[in-house]
Amino acid sequence: MVLGAVAVLFTGTVVESRADGLDTPPQAQTVAEAAVVLSEADVIILGEVHDNFRHHQVQAELVTALQPSALVWEMVTQPQAELLTPQILQNPGETARILDWEASGWPAFSLYAPVFAAGQGMAQFGAHVPRSESQAALKSGVASYFGADAQRFGLDHPLPEAEQQIREAEQMINHCNALPDHILPMLVDVQRLRDASLAAAVERAWLQTGGPVVVITGNGHARLDRGLAIYLQRALPTIKILALGQMEGDATGGTFDLVLSTPSVSRPDPCLAFAKPD
């Protein structure tokens, strides 16, 4: 894979202020330049819009360039990650079979295949919280379900009321204004549980390999102002975290160290799923 081969797909890079007030890294106009900036970190979070193939091309190039010791996957459970040997990762069909990808609910494996292939020589870690587990967590409370480390990661602290309301409003919009109000706090709790679970997986990867660690995840978990970095920095305050957000067109959302923008992909209206039959 040639580094920078997909840089022409980008409309440019926007660098937003970091949530922690640290100096903003220099702007990067290509994937190669982004790799230089991101290489300074112990943990590199690579965001994505899940069904945008260009975003996965960029992730694959960056994994190849950065050569981290470990990859952490939002889409994979830890037991699944332990099955991903270098030999398995050389075969996309076998990788998809081992992960039961077709039944996973994630976009087509062909989108992610280049990223898995790029990481075949690295330790693999999973952070996925299956739906059955998230439902169990809601019954017991996400902090209680997370266990003894909830306090160390900060999952036991409720969100400030203003932020809670903002997040609930976003969940309503994301679900086409079709959900009952009482569901919204649950969705926010699940999002926080997944952030903390990603942070915990990164910590395992860091302690076992010494880093650097690359995280493959959606932009919502990658953003520095509310995503996994909040929980990870609390647990490991001395490590350096950098995050790349990948947007579509002029869309923005959240705080990142670097933001790369690509054209959007064609997709059906997601609100059709909520439409009531005539």
Side-chain angles (χ1 to χ4, degrees):
M1 187 176 296
V2 180
L3 183 63
V6 301
V8 294
L9 296 172
F10 293 118
T11 58
T13 298
V14 178
V15 180
E16 302 184 10
S17 299
R18 287 198 51 158
D20 54 16
L22 298 179
D23 290 341
T24 302
Q27 292 193 14
Q29 298 300 326
T30 67
V31 176
E33 291 177 7
V36 172
V37 174
L38 296 171
S39 68
E40 299 175 1
D42 301 310
V43 175
I44 304 104
I45 307 171
L46 301 182
E48 65 182 54
V49 174
H50 295 310
D51 63 350
N52 191 313
F53 71 94
R54 297 179 180 92
H55 294 184
H56 302 301
Q57 290 176 328
V58 170
Q59 290 170 332
E61 288 205 20
L62 287 173
V63 168
T64 299
L66 295 167
Q67 287 296 297
S69 298
L71 287 183
V72 173
W73 297 89
E74 176 193 351
M75 307 82 193
V76 175
T77 66
Q78 181 58 28
Q80 288 176 321
E82 293 169 2
L83 300 174
L84 295 176
T85 64
Q87 292 73 25
I88 292 293
L89 289 168
Q90 290 174 12
N91 185 326
E94 187 65 5
T95 302
R97 186 190 68 80
I98 287 290
L99 298 176
D100 195 19
W101 195 274
E102 189 172 347
S104 71
W106 294 103
F109 184 79
S110 59
L111 300 178
Y112 287 88
V115 193
F116 280 102
Q120 63 185 262
M122 302 156 195
Q124 308 290 318
F125 292 82
H128 180 56
V129 181
R131 178 171 295 183
S132 60
E133 293 188 19
S134 62
Q135 291 173 340
L138 289 173
K139 292 180 180 179
S140 62
V142 293
S144 176
Y145 181 85
F146 194 76
D149 284 336
Q151 183 177 10
R152 192 163 61 86
F153 283 93
L155 190 59
D156 61 327
H157 299 311
L159 294 174
E161 183 60 29
E163 183 177 352
Q164 180 73 27
Q165 291 179 1
I166 289 171
R167 292 203 192 191
E168 289 182 18
E170 290 177 355
Q171 289 289 348
M172 181 64 88
I173 293 171
N174 291 342
H175 292 84
C176 305
N177 297 304
L179 295 179
D181 290 342
H182 73 273
I183 297 294
L184 302 176
M186 300 180 189
L187 295 178
V188 174
D189 282 349
V190 169
Q191 189 78 356
R192 295 185 69 206
L193 174 63
R194 289 172 175 161
D195 284 328
S197 297
L198 278 160
V202 173
E203 183 185 52
R204 290 196 305 272
W206 172 259
L207 294 176
Q208 291 183 32
T209 70
V213 177
V214 163
V215 186
I216 304 298
T217 189
N219 286 324
H221 296 298
R223 53 189 291 180
L224 293 165
D225 52 332
R226 68 168 63 166
L228 75 96
I230 298 290
Y231 302 89
L232 181 60
Q233 202 79 72
R234 185 180 178 94
L236 296 175
T238 62
I239 65 170
K240 182 173 183 179
I241 304 167
L242 292 177
L244 170 74
Q246 296 197 78
M247 303 299 163
E248 294 183 324
D250 295 328
T252 59
T255 301
F256 304 90
D257 293 290
L258 295 173
V259 175
L260 292 174
S261 181
T262 73
S264 60
V265 298
S266 177
R267 57 177 66 93
D269 182 354
C271 292
L272 292 176
F274 294 93
K276 296 180 179 180
D278 295 334

